Amino acid sequence: MSGCCGCCSALRPRYKRLVDNIFPVNPEDGLVKSNMEKLTFYSLSSPDKLDRIGEYLYQKATKDINRKRYKLAEIAMEAMDLLLQACHAQTTLNLFVESFLRMVQKLLEDSNPNLKIMATNSFVKFANINEDTPSYHRRYDFFISKFSSMCHSDSQDLRDSLRLAGIKGLQGVIRKTVSDDLVENIWEAQHMEKIVPSLLFNMQFCVNVMFVKKNLLASGDLTPVEDATNVTPPVLAEEVLRELVGRASFGHIRSVLKPLLTHLDRHELWVPNTFAIHTFRIVMISIQPQYSYTVVETLMQHLDSNFKSSPKTRTSLAVVLSKIIAIAAGESVGPSALDIINNLLLHLRTSVGTTSEITAEESQYQEALINALGEFANHHPDYQKIEIMLFIMNTVPDLSKKSKGDQMLQNILLKSLLKVGNQYSTVSFEKAFPASFLQPLLRMARAPHDPTRMIVMQIFQALLDRHQNEQVLSTVSVKPYPALSQEPPSRSDIIFTHKYGANIMQALIDSMALSDRVDALSASFNTAALLIVEMSCSETVQEFLLFILGVQQVASTVESLGAVHRCNLHAIAIALLVLISRVSGINNLLEYAQKIIEARRDEASYYLPPLMDTKKGSNKNLNLSLPHLAIDKLALGECMQNAGMDAQRLNTGAPYALNQSDNPGHRHSWVDSVSAQMTQRNSSADLTVYNGDVDSVNSSPGICKKILAPEFNFDAMKRALAEPTEAAKREQRERQMQIVRTFREGEFDDLMRRTEPKHDLIQNRLNELFNSLAVERQITQSDNKTAQLQANNEKPVYETKFPELFYY
């Protein structure tokens, strides 16, 4: 029998004999390495036998597994690994791989955890091999399902090892399939719905483990050396998720995000949202930067689908959005940035529109959305922040809509605008306040709703405060403000003040007259004070003085205002006068203001700061008929002239009044001054009346004759005859440019309305001239003596004095 067996074994193929020889007599001894080297050499010499060797090894391992001889099965798997590593460059490797994968699958199907771990490690080694030849028919459905189930293992023995093996197996599948376009499409929903939840299931413990370790390290119970342990399932799962997201293209990123969001919904991981924030940060950091916008868009769409969820869930979603949106902001430009802003505003409108009463939880949700909007805008350049603010302003409901829902929406959108404005660093007011943004903002400053106006004032303060003076100027006071930072305005800022400063100050006066609330008046004062500090110079101080006189005039003349309200306006006017005298350095103004303050302290302390509350001050006896305690316009002009500054605008201009037109560029038109002068004339005035020294400068609209100093000493005459300074020349050029802008930008109807009185008066005078000429022609030649007498009394034509309006 022995001879027969030996004879039969000699007739067996050589590759089978070589395979049989690698198995020891005692399975505990392990693989026979010398015989394994022979088998490896034979495989390299005869690569066409690889597929047969692999098939024979698979058959032997199957028999051993069925007979529970696990050690022999492990030896067969080890031999397969060695052959795969040695022969991976062979062109016939594909045939061997089929047997290899069948072997791995067989081991994974068994209930022995050691076989599963060994099979997984073998698969990972195979996944790291770069194959030169493509595989058309290879599928990994089984491996994805098996490795995913191993990730959820709850076995008492080797639980962490099995989970680690499952995560490694999924990593191997990802690496093997992503790099090869001809194999299984790993991005299909059926695969992603197994891979992503398996990784997230293991990552859920990572957040808790991190917090525990931080507490242990803080208490000293855990040293950094003890913390340096081996890789754990949560850490490895996070690494695999980073790799998966990093390999995803634009078309595949949503395939990862959809099962991620589904997992968070099913396991209710939004409240609290610690794990959700951690996961999405990993996604945003790992994803290719140009695709980060897709994550934000997908999360917003998920927020849309949860509009009926509890406010806590929606708030958590919005907080997650605010935490990650800053990462996507750097890659969002142009329409994509405005699209994100539009979606956030849409959620805010939906939140306001679906609830009749804003609860505390709903308010937190809205605040989270506003914070997300602010975080998104903060990572954009300033020019895009202006576009975002303009976009938000255009979505604010019109002031004509006075329903409670519209007022709530106005406040919410203006808070969003304020959030962006706080992130904006103002350099030039011309860029910070374009006309298309300033005009609707000024309209909102006149809103009848107090909270709306206060938010608008905060927006002005955020954009005007370039030197962090907002907190310093938050209280109304006549005392010196400590640590007030200031620098001279640039030329562009001065031009902006000439063009739009009157509109802003007019809106401030209207805002002050609308409410007697102390907080609303303080907000308006803060805005006016910041405007004065940032814009004050010799060229703008007269406008600010007219503004102060306008505030006082409203307090003195508007009878509809309450007594306390009028006293508070007087207090604001004197506080602004003291402020402008200090920041402009005009000591004469400061001395005059101090005199008024002393007089008010003696007679009417309620005309001084601090502001009085309407409820507390209504019980006091307030005497408002004290004209001698008011700020005098003529006295201000004398202070300016004594300081050597021009006071013509202050002397000739009218203080600001309520509800005045605030069209930019038309506040101080020369047409108004000419019309006012002509309407003040007697209708029967003669054209030949002498109007004094007429200079050619006076014929130009908007440019008036320079007034000489009142004292005619040598120094005054010298100053009058001297060449104009550079500042005077610049001011003259600016006035000329103002005239040009008036006629270029002004509306035709407005110009016609302003010039109608002048045209009518000129036409009347011309009609009188023509009538007098017609009468003279009808005089008969017979009355020579009367005609001669008239000729003697009549002045020569060249001595006729025409008014300055007819000069060119």
Side-chain angles (χ1 to χ4, degrees):
M1 285 297 295
S2 61
C4 180
C5 291
C7 180
C8 290
S9 65
L11 296 176
R12 297 180 69 191
R14 185 181 178 186
Y15 74 89
K16 288 188 177 182
R17 282 184 279 131
L18 291 174
V19 170
D20 291 337
N21 291 337
I22 66 174
F23 291 94
V25 176
N26 184 8
E28 299 295 333
D29 294 339
L31 182 69
V32 180
K33 294 185 179 180
S34 58
N35 292 335
M36 186 66 214
E37 291 176 357
K38 294 178 183 179
L39 178 61
T40 303
F41 179 77
Y42 177 78
S43 302
L44 292 172
S45 303
S46 305
D48 55 319
K49 296 293 193 298
L50 264 176
D51 58 330
R52 300 181 185 181
I53 295 172
E55 181 64 25
Y56 187 57
L57 279 171
Y58 169 72
Q59 292 174 0
K60 290 181 69 65
T62 302
K63 292 178 182 179
D64 292 333
I65 291 173
N66 294 333
R67 295 171 183 174
K68 306 297 181 181
R69 295 185 295 191
Y70 295 123
K71 287 293 181 180
L72 293 176
E74 291 178 4
I75 292 173
M77 190 72 253
E78 184 180 356
M80 293 281 268
D81 289 341
L82 293 173
L83 287 174
L84 183 69
Q85 296 296 326
C87 306
H88 68 272
Q90 300 292 337
T91 57
T92 57
L93 185 64
N94 268 339
L95 299 177
F96 177 75
V97 167
E98 294 300 323
S99 301
F100 174 84
L101 292 178
R102 289 171 63 195
M103 172 82 80
V104 172
Q105 180 174 345
K106 188 67 179 178
L107 267 63
L108 288 173
E109 289 175 345
D110 195 79
S111 59
N112 190 333
N114 291 322
L115 288 183
K116 292 181 179 180
I117 294 173
M118 185 176 187
T120 303
N121 293 333
S122 299
F123 183 84
V124 172
K125 294 176 184 177
F126 162 70
N128 292 329
I129 296 176
N130 293 324
E131 299 182 63
D132 296 331
T133 57
S135 55
Y136 298 95
H137 55 282
R138 198 178 299 162
R139 298 184 64 84
Y140 296 94
D141 299 27
F142 168 80
F143 296 102
I144 294 173
S145 301
K146 193 64 182 178
F147 291 142
S148 297
S149 65
M150 290 171 63
C151 291
H152 294 81
S153 175
D154 286 329
S155 174
Q156 297 297 328
D157 300 330
L158 303 174
R159 188 192 71 173
D160 287 350
S161 298
L162 284 173
R163 290 186 178 183
L164 276 173
I167 297 170
K168 289 180 180 178
L170 291 178
Q171 187 180 30
V173 173
I174 293 170
R175 291 178 178 177
K176 199 66 180 174
T177 54
V178 168
S179 58
D180 192 349
D181 295 333
L182 299 176
V183 297
E184 183 79 17
N185 185 5
I186 195 68
W187 304 109
E188 290 182 359
Q190 57 180 346
H191 301 321
M192 284 292 109
E193 288 174 359
K194 298 174 183 177
I195 294 175
V196 175
S198 301
L199 299 176
L200 295 177
F201 174 77
N202 286 275
M203 286 174 57
Q204 285 176 228
F205 304 97
C206 182
V207 178
N208 298 329
V209 169
M210 284 193 300
F211 284 123
V212 171
K213 287 186 176 180
K214 285 181 180 179
N215 295 331
L216 291 175
L217 286 170
S219 61
D221 297 334
L222 181 67
T223 62
V225 177
E226 294 173 350
D227 188 40
T229 56
N230 295 328
V231 178
T232 59
V235 175
L236 183 61
E238 180 177 322
E239 180 184 342
V240 175
L241 181 63
R242 291 178 186 272
E243 183 176 350
L244 177 66
V245 174
R247 291 173 177 267
S249 62
F250 178 76
H252 297 146
I253 188 62
R254 295 183 187 274
S255 302
V256 181
L257 296 176
K258 185 176 180 180
L260 190 154
L261 294 171
T262 303
H263 180 83
L264 295 176
D265 289 339
R266 288 177 177 175
H267 294 270
E268 298 180 353
L269 297 175
W270 292 112
V271 181
N273 57 4
T274 307
F275 176 71
I277 293 174
H278 177 69
T279 304
F280 271 96
R281 277 179 173 168
I282 292 173
V283 172
M284 293 300 293
I285 294 173
S286 305
I287 197 173
Q288 299 182 42
Q290 63 270 25
Y291 304 149
S292 58
Y293 168 74
T294 308
V295 181
V296 177
E297 188 180 40
T298 305
L299 193 56
M300 284 186 176
Q301 292 174 356
H302 192 68
L303 190 58
D304 287 337
S305 60
N306 283 269
F307 73 97
K308 291 185 179 180
S309 301
S310 64
K312 286 186 177 180
T313 303
R314 287 185 281 119
T315 302
S316 297
L317 272 164
V319 170
V320 174
L321 188 62
S322 66
K323 297 296 183 181
I324 69 167
I325 200 170
I327 304 175
E331 302 298 326
S332 299
V333 294
S336 62
L338 295 180
D339 188 33
I340 291 178
I341 296 296
N342 187 39
N343 286 336
L344 290 172
L345 296 178
L346 182 61
H347 288 302
L348 285 172
R349 289 194 207 95
T350 305
S351 174
V352 175
T354 54
T355 56
S356 57
E357 194 70 28
I358 298 296
T359 60
E361 295 179 349
E362 195 70 26
S363 179
Q364 291 178 357
Y365 168 62
Q366 294 170 0
E367 290 295 332
L369 288 175
I370 293 173
N371 290 334
L373 194 151
E375 287 294 329
F376 180 73
N378 187 31
H379 290 74
H380 280 81
D382 285 343
Y383 74 90
Q384 277 198 306
K385 291 176 185 176
I386 291 294
E387 292 180 359
I388 292 173
M389 287 192 289
L390 181 58
F391 183 79
I392 297 174
M393 178 56 74
N394 291 333
T395 61
V396 177
D398 191 76
L399 291 175
S400 59
K401 300 179 180 179
K402 298 181 180 180
S403 64
K404 187 175 181 180
D406 290 324
Q407 289 180 356
M408 291 167 54
L409 184 57
Q410 286 174 2
N411 292 346
I412 292 296
L413 295 178
L414 288 175
K415 285 181 181 178
S416 306
L417 183 58
L418 175 62
K419 193 71 176 181
V420 181
N422 287 329
Q423 313 294 343
Y424 181 78
S425 299
T426 304
V427 177
S428 171
F429 291 119
E430 186 178 3
K431 294 180 180 179
F433 293 100
S436 55
F437 173 66
L438 180 61
Q439 290 181 6
L441 194 62
L442 292 178
R443 286 196 299 270
M444 297 303 297
R446 298 180 172 92
H449 196 217
D450 290 343
T452 303
R453 291 199 311 277
M454 293 178 64
I455 298 174
V456 172
M457 292 302 145
Q458 293 176 6
I459 294 171
F460 271 114
Q461 293 160 16
L463 297 177
L464 287 172
D465 187 17
R466 293 185 296 190
H467 300 91
Q468 287 71 50
N469 294 319
E470 190 267 333
Q471 289 296 329
V472 180
L473 299 170
S474 59
T475 57
V476 183
S477 174
V478 294
K479 298 178 181 179
Y481 289 101
L484 192 63
S485 178
Q486 183 190 11
E487 83 177 276
S490 63
R491 189 60 194 168
S492 63
D493 292 339
I494 295 174
I495 294 174
F496 174 83
T497 307
H498 288 320
K499 189 174 183 180
Y500 297 111
N503 311 139
I504 299 175
M505 290 184 281
Q506 185 61 52
L508 290 176
I509 287 183
D510 294 340
S511 176
M512 291 179 187
L514 285 172
S515 175
D516 57 357
R517 287 176 50 176
V518 174
D519 52 357
L521 290 174
S522 298
S524 300
F525 168 81
N526 197 345
T527 305
L530 286 172
L531 189 67
I532 289 174
V533 171
E534 294 290 343
M535 303 286 200
S536 180
C537 66
S538 59
E539 301 181 45
T540 60
V541 66
Q542 296 184 75
E543 289 296 327
F544 291 131
L545 291 177
L546 287 174
F547 166 64
I548 294 171
L549 291 172
V551 175
Q552 179 179 265
Q553 183 174 342
V554 171
S556 302
T557 59
V558 180
E559 298 293 339
S560 59
L561 302 182
V564 176
H565 190 183
R566 295 165 70 179
C567 292
N568 287 338
L569 291 181
H570 281 293
I572 289 175
I574 191 64
L576 291 176
L577 180 61
V578 173
L579 177 64
I580 193 172
S581 61
R582 293 185 186 279
V583 298
S584 61
I586 305 176
N587 294 327
N588 294 334
L589 273 180
L590 184 58
E591 293 174 0
Y592 174 67
Q594 293 296 343
K595 292 179 181 179
I596 297 177
I597 292 171
E598 293 298 329
R600 290 186 178 184
R601 281 175 181 167
D602 296 337
E603 300 184 41
S605 60
Y606 46 84
Y607 270 22
L608 295 174
L611 302 181
M612 293 184 296
D613 192 356
T614 306
K615 297 180 181 179
K616 297 179 181 180
S618 58
N619 299 326
K620 298 181 180 180
N621 294 323
L622 304 177
N623 183 14
L624 302 180
S625 300
L626 300 172
H628 60 285
L629 297 181
I631 302 171
D632 186 50
K633 178 180 177 181
L634 297 178
L636 294 179
E638 290 179 2
C639 292
M640 295 286 292
Q641 290 179 350
N642 293 335
M645 301 180 67
D646 183 22
Q648 179 182 351
R649 170 78 186 117
L650 181 61
N651 292 328
T652 59
Y656 291 81
L658 284 177
N659 303 321
Q660 203 165 345
S661 174
D662 64 345
N663 291 327
H666 300 288
R667 171 65 178 84
H668 304 300
S669 174
W670 67 274
V671 181
D672 290 337
S673 60
V674 173
S675 300
Q677 292 174 5
M678 297 194 69
T679 53
Q680 290 172 2
R681 292 180 182 177
N682 192 350
S683 60
S684 60
D686 193 358
L687 287 175
T688 60
V689 175
Y690 178 66
N691 285 334
D693 185 16
V694 180
D695 197 330
S696 61
V697 175
N698 275 339
S699 64
S700 298
I703 300 179
C704 302
K705 181 177 62 178
K706 184 176 181 181
I707 300 176
L708 295 178
E711 67 279 1
F712 292 99
N713 53 24
F714 177 77
D715 293 335
M717 298 299 295
K718 185 177 179 180
R719 286 196 302 269
L721 295 174
E723 284 288 329
T725 62
E726 289 297 326
K729 291 180 180 179
R730 287 196 300 269
E731 184 176 0
Q732 182 178 1
R733 288 196 297 268
E734 177 57 25
R735 288 178 179 176
Q736 293 174 352
M737 292 299 298
Q738 181 70 22
I739 295 170
V740 174
R741 285 195 295 269
T742 298
F743 284 95
R744 284 184 178 177
E745 301 175 3
E747 297 182 359
F748 181 75
D749 294 337
D750 189 23
L751 292 177
M752 287 292 295
R753 178 179 56 80
R754 293 171 181 268
T755 56
E756 275 178 359
K758 182 189 70 171
H759 289 192
D760 294 342
L761 194 56
I762 293 175
Q763 188 64 40
N764 293 336
R765 293 293 179 260
L766 291 177
N767 291 335
E768 290 179 5
L769 283 174
F770 295 148
N771 291 334
S772 61
L773 291 175
V775 171
E776 288 181 1
R777 291 193 185 97
Q778 295 175 1
I779 296 176
T780 60
Q781 298 296 329
S782 59
D783 196 356
N784 294 330
K785 187 179 293 186
T786 304
Q788 186 65 30
L789 183 59
Q790 290 179 353
N792 292 335
N793 294 333
E794 193 175 9
K795 291 182 180 181
V797 175
Y798 59 85
E799 291 184 2
T800 301
K801 300 297 188 289
F802 292 93
E804 58 188 75
L805 187 61
F806 294 94
Y807 279 69
Y808 178 73

